[in-house]
Amino acid sequence: MTDLRYPIGQFHLPGALSTDHRTEAIAAIETTPARFRKAVQDLSESQLDTPYRPGGWTVRQLLHHLPDSHLNGYARMKIVLTENRPTISTFDQDLWAQGQDYRATPPEVSLSLLHAVHHRWVTVLKAASVSDWSRTGIHPEIGDVTLDDLLALYAWHGDHHTAHVMALRERQGWL
């Protein structure tokens, strides 16, 4: 049985990426908003309030979490690109997911935000030089991370949460 927490597998820091892997990861980030929008398309209010797994977040929480996380990811990558070995800020995603804004914000607001953030993000990523990819920041929970590490993480992250919704839709017959 597949672990419902990790429908595409757990993330592992990859080390330096090849040019082809960077291109694939940037493409994944570029397409995340459209793929995630399609995953949540036409879900009812009750379906949005369904956990993607027992004890997990609801689809609505995932829908608001993704732009929150990716706003942080975009900022982290810009900081790594513009500062010398900065400390990368963290956030308590579980507390964010419990916020009133997750209950009250219309889904379209977060889907539009995700699209806008990714548009800016991809512009920055495509402009990065070969030497930029080895720039590092300090993540308080992980230690040194490179721009390559962050790229791989957020490409995986978008795929990860899209897969959560698609797997739930399949299990529930919502396709």
Side-chain angles (χ1 to χ4, degrees):
M1 179 176 177
T2 302
D3 185 340
L4 297 179
R5 294 172 301 167
Y6 301 104
I8 63 169
Q10 291 188 36
F11 177 75
H12 301 283
L13 289 175
L17 299 176
S18 68
T19 300
D20 287 345
H21 284 120
R22 279 186 203 118
T23 300
E24 290 171 13
I26 291 169
I29 288 173
E30 188 167 28
T31 61
T32 291
R35 290 182 295 111
F36 192 78
R37 179 181 288 276
K38 185 174 181 180
V40 300
Q41 184 176 341
D42 298 326
L43 292 180
S44 69
E45 291 296 312
S46 66
Q47 289 169 330
L48 288 172
D49 291 327
T50 302
Y52 74 90
R53 66 172 175 86
W57 286 350
T58 66
V59 174
R60 185 181 311 277
Q61 286 172 305
L62 291 175
L63 188 150
H64 297 305
H65 162 73
L66 202 54
D68 279 351
S69 174
H70 289 197
L71 274 166
N72 277 281
Y74 167 68
R76 289 170 174 171
M77 292 178 88
K78 288 262 309 205
I79 289 168
V80 167
L81 281 166
T82 59
E83 296 180 17
N84 185 24
R85 208 165 164 264
T87 297
I88 298 170
S89 66
T90 61
F91 69 103
D92 187 329
Q93 63 185 15
D94 290 320
L95 286 178
W96 284 41
Q98 295 170 24
Q100 177 60 26
D101 59 322
Y102 275 44
R103 292 183 292 280
T105 301
E108 184 57 38
V109 172
S110 287
L111 292 170
S112 295
L113 179 58
L114 184 67
H115 175 79
V117 168
H118 279 245
H119 183 85
R120 288 283 305 277
W121 202 357
V122 168
T123 301
V124 168
L125 295 173
K126 287 182 176 180
S129 70
V130 172
S131 63
D132 285 338
W133 295 105
S134 61
R135 292 183 62 91
T136 61
I138 305 163
H139 190 288
E141 298 164 353
I142 301 170
D144 284 356
V145 292
T146 65
L147 199 64
D148 266 341
D149 293 330
L150 294 171
L151 174 65
L153 170 64
Y154 288 102
W156 171 87
H157 190 252
D159 292 347
H160 169 70
H161 286 311
T162 301
H164 280 145
V165 177
M166 293 307 296
L168 174 65
R169 288 184 79 128
E170 187 173 321
R171 288 191 315 275
Q172 296 295 326
W174 298 343
L175 299 173

